[in-house]
Amino acid sequence: MSTTREQAWNLLTRYNKEPFHLRHAITVEHVLGWFAQEEGFSSEKDFWSMVGLLHDLDFEQWPEQHCEKSQELMQQAGLEERLIRAVASHGWGHRVDIKPEHTMEKVLFATDELTGLIGAAALMRPSRSVADMELKSLKKKFKDKKFAAGCSREVIAQGAELLGWDLDTLLSKTLQAMQAEEEAIEAAVAASA
């Protein structure tokens, strides 16, 4: 049985209340949906989006058990195994031994931290938007280890490698995804407030 977005949202908001975490979940939901279409998985777009929405299900309340507790919460909610596995795989190498295998799992692993970095960079712009951000300014922020220090450059680089992409390709595509989805993300964030 596949999960609806409403069911996923209700599960997410049962354990997450912080606007920052909800915005991040919505952002990754939209970015993964964009990548599903971009990478030739259009028929899987809803599934990819759902994984993005739920990827940090346990982070707000159980940061020390991140990607472990979420498996338990999703099993209790009756979610399908492949969704549970996909969500948990982004903690590979840090929290769990579930290596990202499917393209979607690799995209989640690669873009999770990167969407945070791009979002932080957007807030520094006069427009407070990704719409006018260029790759070169994103690369500058990426190289500045003090900027958005919580966003692991190592994980982002490892994600690009998992996908078989160079870092520029990953940065460029993720920026494109956030630009293409910015209005939809803002509308979803506003609707959730």
Side-chain angles (χ1 to χ4, degrees), residues 116-152:
L117 181 78
I118 293 171
L123 293 176
M124 304 298 292
R125 304 181 70 74
S127 65
R128 298 183 66 78
S129 166
V130 292
D132 57 355
M133 190 183 297
E134 291 179 10
L135 179 61
K136 67 177 196 248
S137 70
L138 174 57
K139 283 169 69 171
K140 222 161 126 179
K141 295 291 187 198
F142 182 86
K143 286 178 183 148
D144 177 1
K145 303 281 190 271
K146 288 186 183 117
F147 179 78
C151 299
S152 170

Side-chain angles (χ1 to χ4, degrees), residues 80-135:
E80 56 186 311
E81 264 318 304
R82 71 184 192 128
L83 179 64
I84 296 169
R85 187 212 132 75
V87 165
S89 72
H90 86 282
W92 174 62
H94 313 288
R95 312 293 311 167
V96 295
D97 293 331
I98 303 166
K99 185 176 182 184
E101 301 289 349
H102 186 282
T103 304
M104 177 262 300
E105 295 172 344
K106 294 174 184 178
V107 169
L108 173 61
F109 185 89
T111 60
D112 178 25
E113 300 276 325
L114 183 51
T115 58
L117 181 78
I118 293 171
L123 293 176
M124 304 298 292
R125 304 181 70 74
S127 65
R128 298 183 66 78
S129 166
V130 292
D132 57 355
M133 190 183 297
E134 291 179 10
L135 179 61

Side-chain angles (χ1 to χ4, degrees), residues 122 127-132 177-187:
S127 65
R128 298 183 66 78
S129 166
V130 292
D132 57 355
M178 288 183 70
Q179 288 169 333
E181 295 295 322
E182 187 169 42
E183 278 183 35
I185 290 167
E186 292 307 325

